[in-house]
Amino acid sequence: MSLKLDHIVHFLDRHPAEAVDKLKHEGLEACMGGRHPVWGTYNSVIYFHSSYIEFLAVEEPEIAAFSENPLIQQLTKGVKRGERIGQLCFRTEHIGKLQEQIANIGINTVIHEGRRTTQDGKLIEWKMLFAEGEGGLPYPFFIQWEQEDEERFDDLRNTGLLLPSQESHAVKTIKILTENKIETAESWAKLLGCSSPVKQMTEGEPVIVQAGGCRIEFSEPYSRETESIFSEFGETIWQITYNPPLKENGIHVFGGIYQ
């Protein structure tokens, strides 16, 4: 299956505009995205080369609490432990075929349709595929946009949401902390339909899965910093690196590190 990293979902327990202000202070341009009335959420976004970061927060708690969308369930539960990078989403052009392929490896799935209205009144629609998993680290989910990639990215450029200065930055590495790096990496590789994980010779090094045009590193806590993060959040995505780097020492944004 042909997959591309589409976006990173960062769970917030505050107004998404605060992420826009934080990134502007770091020299990056984000913007408010829109509202999801059916789910009781809203977001802000920042676009880079072929992917973006979504800062997702609950706007209407009484609606979000009863949402059947797995991402909203993960958000409402996740922010109780603190703000952080909460999910990964991979883009596909054939979500129905992908659902069949995942079912063939014995994983249950569900598709949800989504829509939101942008600040200029444009309706954006998509479909999301969620895979059921066990443990504290949810599987990534998948998205198929109504628009073709070329048309969608042209729209983003024309509306000034995808800036030339930010389009040059592509996600290089996604770093994940887990209880069992080999088991988790093998499970994700199977789901994503990619080659077997690369297991490093040294015990403390990560196990690597190449998927969606980027490198996913699975590690067990290995330093004072990662032990502290693992103690607070459990299994989690904790750092995203870009090529070229966004900033030499990284940008710390509400529980997540982007470098």
Side-chain angles (χ1 to χ4, degrees):
M1 65 186 82
S2 178
L3 299 173
K4 298 177 182 177
L5 178 68
D6 189 74
H7 66 282
I8 296 144
V9 186
H10 193 123
F11 294 164
L12 289 185
D13 190 22
R14 66 184 73 214
H15 197 292
E18 292 191 41
V20 177
D21 293 339
K22 171 65 176 174
L23 291 172
K24 186 172 185 178
H25 181 74
E26 299 288 351
L28 297 171
E29 290 295 327
C31 63
M32 284 300 297
R35 300 173 62 248
H36 316 114
V38 175
W39 302 331
T41 58
Y42 55 167
N43 66 12
S44 57
V45 291
I46 181 168
Y47 291 93
F48 296 104
H49 175 75
S50 79
S51 68
Y52 66 98
I53 305 169
E54 174 187 22
F55 295 94
L56 184 65
V58 172
E59 182 181 26
E60 300 289 347
E62 64 279 6
I63 297 176
F66 294 98
S67 174
E68 295 182 355
N69 184 314
L71 178 62
I72 308 309
Q73 294 172 359
Q74 292 163 15
L75 167 66
T76 56
K77 293 176 183 177
V79 293
K80 292 179 181 178
R81 300 194 68 175
E83 297 171 307
R84 60 192 173 95
I85 302 170
Q87 255 291 16
L88 302 176
C89 178
F90 291 89
R91 188 164 65 249
T92 178
E93 296 178 353
H94 306 284
I95 204 163
K97 183 178 179 180
L98 177 60
Q99 186 177 35
E100 292 178 5
Q101 291 175 327
I102 295 175
N104 288 337
I105 60 174
I107 299 176
N108 294 326
T109 61
V110 62
I111 288 180
H112 284 264
E113 296 187 356
R115 61 177 58 188
R116 72 173 175 85
T117 303
T118 62
Q119 288 187 312
D120 61 2
K122 184 174 182 179
L123 179 65
I124 299 175
E125 297 181 289
W126 63 91
K127 293 180 180 178
M128 296 180 290
L129 173 65
F130 295 91
E132 293 183 3
E134 299 178 355
L137 182 69
Y139 279 137
F141 68 100
F142 307 91
I143 194 167
Q144 180 177 331
W145 294 96
E146 183 183 63
Q147 286 180 300
E148 297 291 333
D149 275 4
E150 184 176 349
E151 180 185 357
R152 193 164 63 88
F153 283 104
D154 279 345
D155 280 353
L156 292 172
R157 294 184 189 99
N158 292 336
T159 55
L161 297 178
L162 179 56
L163 301 175
S165 59
Q166 292 175 182
E167 189 172 3
S168 63
H169 297 281
V171 172
K172 177 183 178 182
T173 306
I174 298 166
K175 298 185 179 183
I176 296 176
L177 291 174
T178 180
E179 288 185 358
N180 187 319
K181 60 185 180 182
I182 294 176
E183 181 180 295
T184 305
E186 289 177 344
S187 178
W188 278 47
K190 185 178 180 181
L191 174 77
L192 296 170
C194 51
S195 56
S196 298
V198 177
K199 301 171 185 177
Q200 302 299 323
M201 298 297 293
T202 304
E203 183 178 350
E205 293 184 317
V207 179
I208 299 166
V209 170
Q210 297 283 353
C214 59
R215 165 184 169 122
I216 308 175
E217 294 184 356
F218 297 88
S219 301
E220 292 153 17
Y222 57 87
S223 65
R224 181 176 296 179
E225 180 182 24
T226 56
E227 286 173 357
S228 175
I229 293 169
F230 192 79
S231 175
E232 184 174 2
F233 298 117
E235 295 185 300
T236 190
I237 307 157
W238 71 282
Q239 187 178 95
I240 310 293
T241 69
Y242 287 80
N243 184 27
L246 299 180
K247 200 169 185 178
E248 184 177 353
N249 297 321
I251 298 171
H252 293 250
V253 183
F254 308 130
I257 303 172
Y258 300 91
Q259 189 165 353

